[in-house]
Every structure is written in structure tokens, then in C-alpha cells.
Amino acid sequence: QVQLVESGGGLVQVGDSLRLSCTASARTFNSAAMGWFRQAPGKEREFVASISWGGTSTYYTDSVKGRFTISRDNAKNTVYLQMNSLKPEDTAVYYCAGDTRLPPRQKATTITDFKVWGQGTQVTVSS
């Protein structure tokens, strides 16, 4: 079974940076759009960022534009989320997700676009 495994979460201070990684267990995801979502306590899971399968197109929710960067290294089956200038409102469990629809899509930004999910990694930003 194909899996996505996130890592890189932790406890940081306001203004700090973190880089999340998501490694896929199969090269199948090299031809899939990949995304990051987050879920804060008591809130619904929300879209953060996504990247097309070739890495040429990226999409962000407004609240992270200019602070977060999504990228991918298909040779390593890995997607990254570089998070800079972190704020307390960024505190959440962050989930990696893969869009396995066929044919592959360039753009995927909604929860229903993604069929495979990781287990999540906690990011806590302390003030």
C-alpha cells in the first residue's frame, strides 16, 4: 500500500522557520500533484499549498503567501514545505496528500482532490 510519511514538525518560536518533508513509498507520486493541508484544534482541515506533478505550478492559501514555499524532488519521492516567519495561528497538524486522479492534474487545491493522506506532523508556534 502506498504511503506518505511526514516529518519535520516541532515546537518553535514566533518568527522561526521549519521545513516539513513528505516522502512517498512509491514513485507513483512523481506523476501526481501533491499538497499540504493543516488542521488546528476545533477547526476543519484547510488547504495550505500544492504543487503540480512537474513542479512548475504552485498554489497557496492567502494566509501563507510570501512565507511558505512548497517544492518537490521527484528523484527522492519527496515534497517539502518550507515555512518561514511562523505565527501562532500556523499551529496545527500538517498533512501531506497526493492527488492520484488520472490523468494527472496540474492543479489540486481542495480536500476532495486528494485521495492519499499522510498521518500528519504537529507544528506548534509559541509566542
Side-chain angles (χ1 to χ4, degrees):
Q1 185 175 354
V2 178
Q3 290 183 319
L4 299 176
V5 179
E6 304 100 332
S7 61
L11 172 64
V12 296
Q13 301 293 315
V14 170
D16 284 351
S17 298
L18 274 178
R19 188 177 79 159
L20 305 183
S21 299
C22 170
T23 300
S25 62
R27 298 187 63 83
T28 303
F29 287 93
N30 288 350
S31 60
M34 299 294 292
W36 287 96
F37 288 73
R38 65 186 180 187
Q39 188 167 18
K43 295 187 177 181
E44 294 187 352
R45 192 170 299 189
E46 65 172 354
F47 170 76
V48 176
S50 65
I51 186 167
S52 60
W53 64 269
T56 56
S57 299
T58 57
Y59 308 90
Y60 299 93
T61 192
D62 286 346
S63 62
V64 307
K65 285 180 181 177
R67 299 189 299 122
F68 291 11
T69 303
I70 188 171
S71 62
R72 67 191 300 162
D73 184 343
N74 284 347
K76 296 182 179 180
N77 297 348
T78 301
V79 177
Y80 304 98
L81 185 67
Q82 177 66 44
M83 305 185 295
N84 299 329
S85 302
L86 283 162
K87 304 176 181 180
E89 51 264 42
D90 295 318
T91 295
V93 177
Y94 283 71
Y95 297 90
C96 175
D99 174 9
T100 55
R101 295 175 295 171
L102 293 175
R105 267 62 163 184
Q106 278 291 102
K107 182 177 182 179
T109 59
T110 64
I111 287 179
T112 55
D113 290 338
F114 296 88
K115 303 304 180 185
V116 181
W117 294 81
Q119 83 288 349
T121 185
Q122 177 71 46
V123 172
T124 303
V125 184
S126 174
S127 56

